[in-house]
Amino acid sequence: MRVGGALLRYRIMAFVTGTLLVVLVFVAVPLDWWADQHGPVAVIGTAHGFLFMVYLVTALDLGVRRRWPLVKLGLVMIAGTIPFASFVAEHYVTREIRASTQP
């Protein structure tokens, strides 16, 4: 089954979700705690929450197409909740898929 489009969608969402989570945890939350600036947490947190749902759908789509075991699918999905983990997961998933589709 072709996974080119599903992989591209997953890679984009992994990058966007991971970037927003890193900014949320390392910029917005400290601003909220130490500078009493609540706006960045509200905006970035809401954006991350919404886009995380899109990330879950793209990871599920890719996992179903690749017929991943549930444990692997779960780990890839959970990677969007840990700072920098989505970047690592995306790297390994992309490497695995490209290696398996090489002629």
Side-chain angles (χ1 to χ4, degrees), residues 57-90:
V57 171
T58 61
L60 179 64
D61 178 42
L62 184 60
V64 168
R65 289 173 189 261
R66 295 290 299 176
R67 298 184 180 169
W68 286 342
L70 286 178
V71 172
K72 181 176 182 175
L73 179 61
L75 289 173
V76 169
M77 290 176 142
I78 289 172
T81 65
I82 303 167
F84 301 106
S86 67
F87 303 126
V88 174
E90 182 272 329

Side-chain angles (χ1 to χ4, degrees), residues 34-58:
W34 297 321
D36 203 31
Q37 297 289 322
H38 307 294
V41 167
V43 172
I44 297 170
T46 301
H48 170 71
F50 174 75
L51 292 172
F52 179 69
M53 296 301 139
V54 178
Y55 169 81
L56 290 177
V57 171
T58 61

Side-chain angles (χ1 to χ4, degrees), residues 26-42:
F26 294 108
V27 176
V29 170
L31 282 175
D32 186 35
W33 289 351
W34 297 321
D36 203 31
Q37 297 289 322
H38 307 294
V41 167

